[in-house]
Amino acid sequence: MDLRIFTEPQQGATYDTLLTVAKATEELGFDAFFRSDHYLRMGSTDGLPGPTDAWITLAGLARETKRIRLGTLMTAGTFRLPGVLAIQVAQIDQMSGGRVELGLGAGWFEEEHKAYGIPFPKEKFARLEEQLAIVTGLWATEVGKTFSYEGTYYQLTDSPALPKPAQTKVPVLIGGHGASRTPRLAGQYADEFNMPFASIEDSERQFGRVRKAVEEAGRKADDLVYSNALVVCVGKDDAEVQRRADIIGRDVDELKANGLAGSPAEVVDKIARYQAIGSQRLYLQILDLDDLDHLELISTQVQSQLS
């Protein structure tokens, strides 16, 4: 079971804070550092000092880390043109020595689009399908050949399809709860399917749908990695769990029901239940980015038991 650190910088974080967390992620033996792709805070937090761009952040981290994988859960398809996104991700993959992964979603948070003047189209999912075809098509085009695409929303003519990523294949992550279209897209384009903030029962049901869709697309179901994203709140004792829950404004019982919370033993047991239904990787949503002791506890008392 891989453990990856997943951050939500729109809630309030500087690049320096993210760099500190990413370096701790690497030093403590976690597999990857991922971040959300949002420009507006959610909930009651003030979001200060303001948003950071996901791919600019990852470009910086690509040069300041050595081992960990770097990526997004999920890049908002509404934020970027697919041709430009393909260039950005390929360049950062080169900058990192081949450690980048692209999580790509349709985009959903209308308020942040209004706040920063970003168009919020009605046909988001259909656009996402074209974006996936274009990004993967550009990367797959042989050097010296061109790529063209005639879609409803995007048209490319004789693109040189450059630059190329350092990796032969940049892993593409697709995720979500949708019962039909999401599994179909995952079956066609994904290297990993991520189920965000879902129960064991709902995850098992969705993994089954995706596995079926992968096989219908002519691939082997086990060719994909199946993963979950879950909030995490671990403490050496009840008092420490309560303190960490209070800081992020969450109820302990709710965190235990909907995430990974409690003592290290409780969290290891919950992880084992996700593993039993086919989850191979967990993205641990860290909401207090100043609490590096939390990361160390997870590394020494949770991750160590999993390996």
Side-chain angles (χ1 to χ4, degrees):
M1 174 70 78
D2 293 334
L3 295 187
R4 296 182 160 189
I5 300 303
F6 171 43
T7 62
E8 301 273 8
Q10 75 278 357
Q11 300 300 92
T14 64
Y15 172 75
D16 286 340
T17 298
L18 297 173
L19 174 59
T20 298
V21 174
K23 286 186 172 180
T25 297
E26 187 158 84
E27 291 165 1
L28 292 169
F30 294 104
D31 183 60
F33 175 94
F34 271 58
R35 59 156 292 165
S36 60
D37 187 22
H38 287 293
Y39 292 133
L40 194 66
R41 57 97 177 141
M42 302 169 194
S44 59
T45 181
D46 58 23
L48 294 175
T52 51
D53 182 82
W55 286 102
I56 291 177
T57 296
L58 295 178
L61 297 181
R63 306 303 289 178
E64 300 196 71
T65 58
K66 301 297 183 184
R67 178 189 58 81
I68 52 174
R69 309 288 294 177
L70 302 166
T72 52
L73 283 184
M74 299 284 185
T75 292
T78 48
F79 290 174
R80 296 169 179 86
L81 297 171
V84 175
L85 180 62
I87 292 170
Q88 291 172 322
V89 177
Q91 182 180 5
I92 298 171
D93 195 50
Q94 293 175 2
M95 293 166 66
S96 71
R99 293 183 286 123
V100 162
E101 305 186 9
L102 171 63
L104 185 57
W108 61 271
F109 190 22
E110 185 173 6
E111 286 80 2
E112 67 187 335
H113 294 73
K114 291 179 179 178
Y116 286 96
I118 303 167
F120 189 68
K122 292 182 179 180
E123 324 83 357
K124 292 181 290 297
F125 201 90
R127 288 175 182 268
L128 173 62
E129 186 163 6
E130 291 193 9
Q131 290 164 347
L132 286 163
I134 292 166
V135 171
T136 57
L138 286 167
W139 290 338
T141 300
E142 294 180 19
V143 175
K145 296 186 178 181
T146 61
F147 175 83
S148 297
Y149 183 86
E150 188 66 31
T152 301
Y153 307 104
Y154 305 102
Q155 296 81 40
L156 286 74
T157 303
D158 296 332
S159 171
L162 296 172
K164 298 303 184 192
Q167 299 174 86
T168 302
K169 177 74 170 68
V170 172
V172 173
L173 289 73
I174 294 173
H177 297 252
S180 57
R181 294 189 299 175
T182 296
R184 179 178 58 79
L185 278 192
Q188 187 171 358
Y189 293 106
D191 300 286
E192 177 176 336
F193 178 78
N194 180 264
M195 188 62 168
F197 311 111
S199 68
I200 293 168
E201 295 76 19
D202 287 345
S203 297
E204 183 175 26
R205 188 177 303 111
Q206 186 71 331
F207 288 165
R209 295 188 188 112
V210 173
R211 294 178 71 89
K212 180 180 179 182
V214 173
E215 291 175 344
E216 289 174 348
R219 305 165 65 193
K220 295 180 181 178
D222 289 339
D223 287 347
L224 266 63
V225 172
Y226 298 85
S227 63
N228 287 88
L230 295 163
V231 63
V232 65
C233 181
V234 189
K236 296 188 298 290
D237 51 37
D238 290 344
E240 190 167 79
V241 175
Q242 185 66 61
R243 177 179 64 81
R244 289 196 164 113
D246 289 343
I247 289 172
I248 62 175
R250 300 283 285 270
D251 176 75
V252 171
D253 290 338
E254 179 268 322
L255 286 169
K256 288 186 176 183
N258 299 316
L260 300 171
S263 68
E266 288 178 286
V267 170
V268 169
D269 179 70
K270 186 80 173 282
I271 289 173
R273 292 165 61 196
Y274 275 95
Q275 188 172 31
I277 57 94
S279 187
Q280 301 161 280
R281 179 175 290 158
L282 291 177
Y283 293 81
L284 306 179
Q285 185 193 45
I286 303 292
L287 296 177
D288 181 4
L289 298 182
D290 295 319
D291 188 359
L292 298 183
D293 289 341
H294 193 199
L295 295 184
E296 184 173 5
L297 178 65
I298 296 169
S299 173
T300 58
Q301 300 297 319
V302 176
Q303 182 171 243
S304 61
Q305 295 189 55
L306 300 177
S307 60

